Amino acid sequence: MQRGQQAQAELGAEVCTGVDIALTRVFELLGKRWTGLIVAVLTQRAAYYADLRRALPKISERMLSDRLSELADAGLVVREVDEGPPLRVTYRLTEAGLGLGPALHELGLWAETYLLGGIDAAGALGGPCAGPQADPSRPQPEIC
């Protein structure tokens, strides 16, 4: 008997046949670099493009634009162009996007419990849209 078959027989386990398609779709979208953090920022409030850049200082403009487009295509983000000088673009989560809030919160709690030793304080999410990690003495704008 081969080693893998022997281990399976010892555990009395069924063969793993695949991963849930819904979970696969979630990780295809949110598993991309920056996507989850963009959603996390937008769960706090709607934000202008420039303010998203400030909240995520290490993201490139092109990457932010690409990720926002992907989130909009997935129906999680709405892009609204504010008329008149100056022309500004606001991004906000749809109802589906806001539905990710509790899941992201739970992931954050999990990370605090199990990954805390691996999180570098310098790499923490910052900026005006950072939520609980933001400076509490500094007033938070309505739109980031």
Side-chain angles (χ1 to χ4, degrees), residues 8 13-19:
Q8 182 181 345
E14 297 284 327
V15 174
C16 183
T17 58
V19 178

Side-chain angles (χ1 to χ4, degrees), residues 2-65:
Q2 292 180 339
R3 186 177 183 154
Q5 291 171 335
Q6 181 181 3
Q8 182 181 345
E10 290 173 5
L11 294 175
E14 297 284 327
V15 174
C16 183
T17 58
V19 178
D20 182 280
I21 189 68
L23 196 56
T24 300
R25 292 176 62 201
V26 167
F27 277 99
E28 283 176 352
L29 179 64
L30 295 181
K32 291 182 179 179
R33 188 169 186 195
W34 300 108
T35 304
L37 293 175
I38 293 168
V39 172
V41 169
L42 291 174
T43 59
Q44 302 298 314
R45 63 187 61 84
Y48 294 121
Y49 180 88
D51 293 320
L52 286 169
R53 286 270 295 135
R54 279 192 288 277
L56 303 165
K58 294 182 181 181
I59 192 171
S60 70
E61 289 186 24
R62 180 179 174 140
M63 181 66 71
L64 178 58
S65 179

Side-chain angles (χ1 to χ4, degrees), residues 80-89:
E80 298 171 337
V81 179
D82 301 335
E83 293 296 327
L87 184 68
R88 297 189 83 174
V89 178

